[in-house]
Amino acid sequence: MKDIDNAAQVRRQPLLPLGLGWALLGVIGFSGTVPAMRVAAPVLGPWFVALGRALIGGALAALILAWRRDRLPTLQQAARLVAIGVVFNVVFPGCVAIALQTVPAAHAAVIIGLAPASTAVSASLRTRTRLGAAQALGVLLGAVSVVAFAAVQSGGLRLERGDVLLLGAVSIVGAAYAEGGLLARADALGSGTRVTCWMLVLSLPTVTAAWLVLQPPLVAGTPAAWAGLAYQSTVSVLLASFAWYRGLASGDLARASQAQLVQPVLAVLWASWLLGEAIPASTALGAALVVAAAALAVRR
């Protein structure tokens, strides 16, 4: 009888931990962001895409909050949400969109693959926990792999402007991921949906001010470019973020961030399939090295 009970318990165990499963679902949505931006940004302009997706996503988020009749965050929570929103809605997409003017989507996806290591380091600093030796080694190897990959791709021991922008974006987005994961926990805002929606709504004044300052022109884009913007406005900034922050809120931030390990691989595949980009051996090797290093960085 005891053996039967044990067997039943084994059968009831999920294939993936709940937090990791939600995070993986979010990463699948995020993996299409770089290819979608690669299609939209050269046609519509980098700042039109970066700010436009935040304005559309913010308007949709406001409707969701009104429908849910959601309670207001505290002033301290609001300040943290504004900071996260500026990173996600202005700094990160702006850097990526500008970088994609000069680098292929697959190339950018490899560098952005360092995000799990950045998240693990930021979570460690934010929660005042110490990285293990394997984690620290993974972060170091990941950084070296990315810099070496970018240098080889540029044809010399130097980094292109696009590479510098992507490295800076990855460094700061890890801190935003960790902060958002902490806010999504039950003792804070309590859900990934609330974090995402309030982050978008509270950052609308900053995004609007940036739009008025930069004044990105409205151009006659192609259907593919508008589709790329629509994907980012609905999936990248809303639906994928709902799942991602729910995953981060379910437990260990570093463990849930393991889902990001598959993002560069998926993004490279999307770039090859949807954009027809040739994937050279150096890109495939770079992606493999970054994934391996990030796996060390997010080990428990």
Side-chain angles (χ1 to χ4, degrees):
M1 189 70 176
K2 186 175 181 180
D3 293 337
I4 295 176
D5 292 338
N6 290 337
Q9 289 178 1
V10 170
R11 284 196 299 269
R12 286 196 296 267
Q13 289 180 350
L15 294 176
L16 287 173
L18 183 61
L20 190 58
W22 278 109
L24 180 60
L25 185 61
V27 164
I28 293 173
F30 288 146
S31 67
T33 301
V34 172
M37 192 171 283
R38 185 70 176 86
V39 171
V43 179
L44 300 175
W47 285 114
F48 186 94
V49 173
L51 300 177
R53 74 176 206 162
L55 290 173
I56 296 172
L60 294 174
L63 293 175
I64 293 173
L65 290 174
W67 174 69
R68 288 163 50 101
R69 296 181 180 179
D70 215 301
R71 68 182 186 277
L72 293 172
T74 66
L75 290 178
Q76 183 184 30
Q77 291 170 344
R80 294 162 68 185
L81 287 164
V82 168
I84 298 170
V86 170
V87 171
F88 278 129
N89 298 322
V90 180
V91 179
F92 182 74
C95 288
V96 174
I98 294 172
L100 286 172
Q101 304 297 295
T102 57
V103 302
H107 178 106
V110 171
I111 297 179
I112 294 174
L114 197 60
S118 176
T119 303
V121 171
S122 298
S124 174
L125 294 173
R126 185 66 178 83
T127 58
R128 298 181 181 179
T129 56
R130 182 178 299 179
L131 287 176
Q135 291 176 312
L137 179 62
V139 172
L140 178 62
L141 289 178
V144 171
S145 298
V146 165
V147 172
F149 166 78
V152 169
Q153 292 284 292
S154 66
L157 297 178
R158 61 188 178 86
L159 296 177
E160 300 291 345
R161 185 184 71 161
D163 297 322
V164 175
L165 286 171
L166 289 170
L167 287 171
V170 168
S171 299
I172 194 171
V173 82
Y177 277 144
E179 193 65 33
L182 292 173
L183 276 171
R185 288 178 173 175
D187 58 346
L189 287 176
S191 76
T193 302
R194 293 194 71 211
V195 168
T196 301
C197 289
W198 280 116
M199 172 192 71
L200 287 166
V201 169
L202 292 176
S203 63
L204 277 176
T206 303
V207 174
T208 303
W211 182 282
L212 294 175
V213 170
L214 297 171
Q215 296 183 343
L218 176 63
V219 298
T222 63
W226 290 114
L229 177 60
Y231 181 92
Q232 295 173 72
S233 302
T234 55
V235 178
S236 299
V237 303
L238 274 178
L239 301 180
S241 295
F242 291 165
W244 171 249
Y245 281 120
R246 180 167 181 173
L248 292 186
S250 298
D252 189 347
L253 287 173
R255 185 182 186 186
S257 69
Q258 290 179 77
Q260 277 186 309
L261 298 176
V262 302
Q263 185 168 330
V265 177
L266 291 175
V268 167
L269 293 176
W270 289 130
S272 176
W273 181 44
L274 296 176
L275 306 182
E277 290 186 1
I279 308 301
S282 60
T283 299
L285 178 60
L289 289 175
V290 170
V291 168
L296 278 177
V298 299
R299 285 182 61 187
R300 289 180 64 83

